[in-house]
């Protein structure tokens, strides 16, 4: 076994490896989307899973690898990168780990899940301590293709699942830039009262639901003191990051919202300066969810997403 004193492996989302490379700086090695960097884990945004204290092991056979992994712990996930047939045969002889889609609001898995990959035919890279409870950080849900007005709801489902916290009956949510109503629909189904704000109308089926107050106006023109304090501010509005930051900073300064979940939509390739202001705000975290595309999700007033 070879275990460097301090190094961490980060698994980048598909198509966004270059963004993670820019965040991490100098690397020790790279295996496809898996980047090995010196030092303890860093609070990076562009990683779907973080492998803490990874170690390499020399193996002589498939059985050797299986015995080694079983001797460390029960649950493992393969990140397939090289020697695919050999890696697959190792994974097949390990205890089965269910990767079935979650039925929201079902909680995230609680069992510890390690990760491994083959660096070459005779070298395993292993981490028993990973940040995500989901295989390779990929969160899958049993989708609602009938009631939801768009697939944007999956981002909020994932954010709330990772947090382990969600709106409840008796709480008030403010959904800025809500049309056609995917995030409003999620909060309403959880029992919350929703103030839904957009210049565009909600889908009729969403607007007709109970506990939804729709205000047809601009999210950017709405003054925080025009509303009672809210438990959750949700925002999936399409705008440049700088404009979104100014909007949300105004709400944070007002003291009239307890928590924020917002999508930071990028215009073109990510540049670090686009999101520096979000990272600098105390009590916040910026992450790339599995259901994000060229965008990040910003959490404020929360402990941060579990399993990222």
């Amino acid at each position: 076994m070879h275990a460097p004193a301090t190094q961490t492996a980060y698994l980048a989302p598909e198509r966004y490896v270059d963004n993670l490379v820019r965040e991490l700086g100098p690397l020790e090695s790279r295996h496809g989307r898996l980047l090995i960097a010196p030092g303890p884990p860093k609070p990076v945004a562009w990683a779907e899973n973080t492998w803490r204290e990874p170690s390499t092991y020399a193996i002589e056979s498939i059985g050797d690898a299986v015995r080694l992994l079983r001797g460390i712990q029960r649950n493992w996930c393969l990140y397939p990168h090289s020697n695919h047939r050999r890696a697959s045969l190792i994974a097949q002889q390990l205890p089965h780990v269910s990767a079935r889609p979650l039925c929201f609001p079902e909680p995230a898995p609680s069992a510890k899940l390690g990760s491994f990959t083959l660096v070459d035919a005779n070298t395993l890279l292993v981490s028993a301590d990973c940040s995500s409870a989901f295989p390779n950080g990929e969160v899958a849900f049993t989708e609602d293709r009938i009631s939801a007005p768009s697939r944007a709801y999956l981002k909020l489902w994932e954010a709330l699942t990772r947090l382990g916290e969600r709106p409840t009956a008796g709480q008030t949510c403010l959904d800025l830039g809500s049309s056609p109503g995917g995030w409003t629909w999620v909060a309403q189904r959880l029992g919350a009262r929703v103030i839904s704000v957009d210049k565009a109308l909600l889908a009729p089926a969403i607007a007709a639901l109970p506990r939804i107050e729709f205000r047809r106006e601009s999210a950017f023109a709405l003054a925080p003191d025009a509303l009672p304090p809210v438990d959750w501010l949700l925002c999936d509005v399409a705008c440049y990051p700088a404009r979104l930051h100014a909007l949300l900073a105004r709400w944070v300064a007002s003291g009239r919202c307890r928590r924020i979940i917002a999508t930071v939509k990028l215009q073109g390739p990510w540049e670090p300066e686009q999101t520096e202001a979000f990272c600098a705000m105390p009590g916040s975290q910026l992450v790339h969810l599995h259901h994000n595309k060229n965008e990040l999700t910003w959490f404020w007033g929360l402990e941060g997403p579990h399993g990222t």
Side-chain angles (χ1 to χ4, degrees):
M1 180 188 80
H2 174 59
T6 53
Q7 68 171 196
T8 306
Y10 305 84
L11 186 63
E14 292 186 17
R15 301 186 302 279
Y16 300 108
V17 179
D18 290 345
N19 292 353
L20 182 56
V21 170
R22 294 189 68 182
E23 275 195 294
L24 291 174
L27 301 176
E28 293 189 351
S29 60
R30 172 175 171 176
H31 311 286
R33 294 188 290 126
L34 189 65
L35 310 181
I36 316 299
K42 302 175 184 178
V44 294
W46 294 97
E48 288 203 325
N49 194 14
T50 299
W51 300 19
R52 305 182 184 102
E53 299 183 0
S55 301
T56 55
Y57 295 85
I59 58 169
E60 296 182 357
S61 66
I62 291 169
D64 192 19
V66 171
R67 285 188 294 273
L68 187 152
L69 292 168
R70 282 177 175 267
I72 297 173
Q73 65 183 36
R74 181 187 187 279
N75 295 331
W76 293 97
C77 168
L78 167 66
Y79 162 59
H81 166 58
S82 66
N83 296 272
H84 292 279
R85 174 63 176 166
R86 188 173 176 86
S88 178
L89 290 172
I90 294 170
Q92 289 172 19
Q93 295 186 45
L94 295 171
H96 175 69
V97 175
S98 175
R100 66 170 180 80
L102 292 181
C103 293
F104 184 84
E106 180 184 1
S110 58
K112 186 177 180 181
L113 181 62
S115 296
F116 75 94
T117 192
L118 278 177
V119 174
D120 56 48
N122 298 108
T123 307
L124 272 179
L125 179 64
V126 171
S127 175
D129 183 13
C130 294
S131 65
S132 182
F134 300 94
N136 294 319
E138 299 176 3
V139 186
F141 294 102
T142 300
E143 299 188 25
D144 188 325
R145 301 181 185 274
I146 298 175
S147 303
S150 71
R151 297 186 79 249
Y153 73 92
L154 292 168
K155 293 184 288 187
L156 186 55
W157 274 11
E158 181 180 351
L160 296 173
T161 299
R162 289 179 179 270
L163 284 168
E165 185 177 357
R166 56 184 62 92
T168 59
Q171 293 186 331
T172 299
C173 297
L174 173 63
D175 185 6
L176 299 179
S178 57
S179 180
W183 285 26
T184 290
W185 173 79
V186 171
Q188 189 274 344
R189 284 171 66 97
L190 289 169
R193 171 178 176 255
V194 186
I195 303 170
S196 189
V197 179
D198 204 310
K199 291 192 293 183
L201 293 174
L202 294 176
I206 305 303
L209 294 172
R211 300 189 310 280
I212 293 177
E213 174 191 341
F214 179 65
R215 298 177 63 130
R216 193 174 186 181
E217 58 184 292
S218 168
F220 297 94
L222 181 65
D225 60 7
L227 295 173
V230 298
D231 298 288
W232 297 80
L233 191 159
L234 309 174
C235 184
D236 194 30
V237 69
C239 67
Y240 286 102
R243 193 179 187 209
L244 178 67
H245 177 265
L247 170 67
L248 298 180
R250 184 156 52 99
W251 278 93
V252 170
S254 75
R256 300 182 73 81
C257 64
R258 294 176 58 195
R259 317 167 181 84
I260 298 175
I261 300 177
T263 307
V264 183
K265 299 178 186 290
L266 305 174
Q267 310 296 322
W270 173 72
E271 298 293 340
E273 56 268 23
Q274 292 177 313
T275 52
E276 284 175 350
F278 290 93
C279 297
M281 292 186 69
S284 66
Q285 185 177 3
L286 199 63
V287 301
H288 185 277
L289 301 177
H290 181 63
H291 289 94
N292 282 143
K293 295 181 181 178
N294 189 33
E295 57 193 9
L296 295 166
T297 296
W298 186 66
F299 299 84
W300 176 84
L302 296 146
E303 290 187 3
H306 303 165
T308 57

